[in-house]
Amino acid sequence: MFLQDLIEDEKAAFLELAHQVAQADGILSEGEDALIAAFAREMDIPAHALVPSGERAEKDIGELTAVFRSETSRKIAFMELLALTLSDNDYSPEEKTLLNKIRIGFGFDETHYEKCKAWVRKINEVYREGRTLVYG
């Protein structure tokens, strides 16, 4: 939704965080994989530039969160990562733990987390309603 506002190195760091979050529970669902591909399209990153999950070397969360220079870019990344974790209706303990590390790395408190989570849930519900209206 807001990913186009990230700068190039933030986009790369975001995609790495997205892969780590999506695979935190040991499973990369089709929906999560599709959402990561949609994130890449939103950031104008071609599909051929995405490194398959099994071929990536996992990077340190602290190093990745440090790439985001502004509070706005950190908020964008955090909200989109939260949307990813809630996209498959399976917010696993592993995903929650990893997202909490990212939250701390970004310097956000629990209140910000709860506000973002409530907003993402509302957006997801509205999206599902729209899909039902369009596709039945």
Side-chain angles (χ1 to χ4, degrees), residues 13-39 51-54 56 58 61 64 77-78 80-99 102:
F14 173 80
L15 281 177
E16 176 60 32
L17 287 169
H19 275 102
Q20 287 190 33
V21 166
Q23 295 179 37
D25 59 0
I27 302 164
L28 178 64
S29 72
E30 284 184 35
E32 290 169 329
D33 193 41
L35 190 50
I36 291 171
F39 287 156
V51 178
S53 299
R56 291 181 5 271
E58 203 167 279
I61 296 299
L64 291 168
F78 187 71
E80 299 281 6
L81 291 168
L82 188 53
L84 175 63
T85 64
L86 298 173
S87 68
D88 62 358
N89 294 319
D90 182 25
Y91 192 24
S92 73
E94 297 88 357
E95 289 172 333
K96 189 172 185 175
T97 298
L98 183 54
L99 200 64
I102 294 167

Side-chain angles (χ1 to χ4, degrees), residues 31-49:
E32 290 169 329
D33 193 41
L35 190 50
I36 291 171
F39 287 156
R41 284 190 304 276
E42 182 181 344
M43 295 185 291
D44 293 325
I45 297 173
H48 70 274

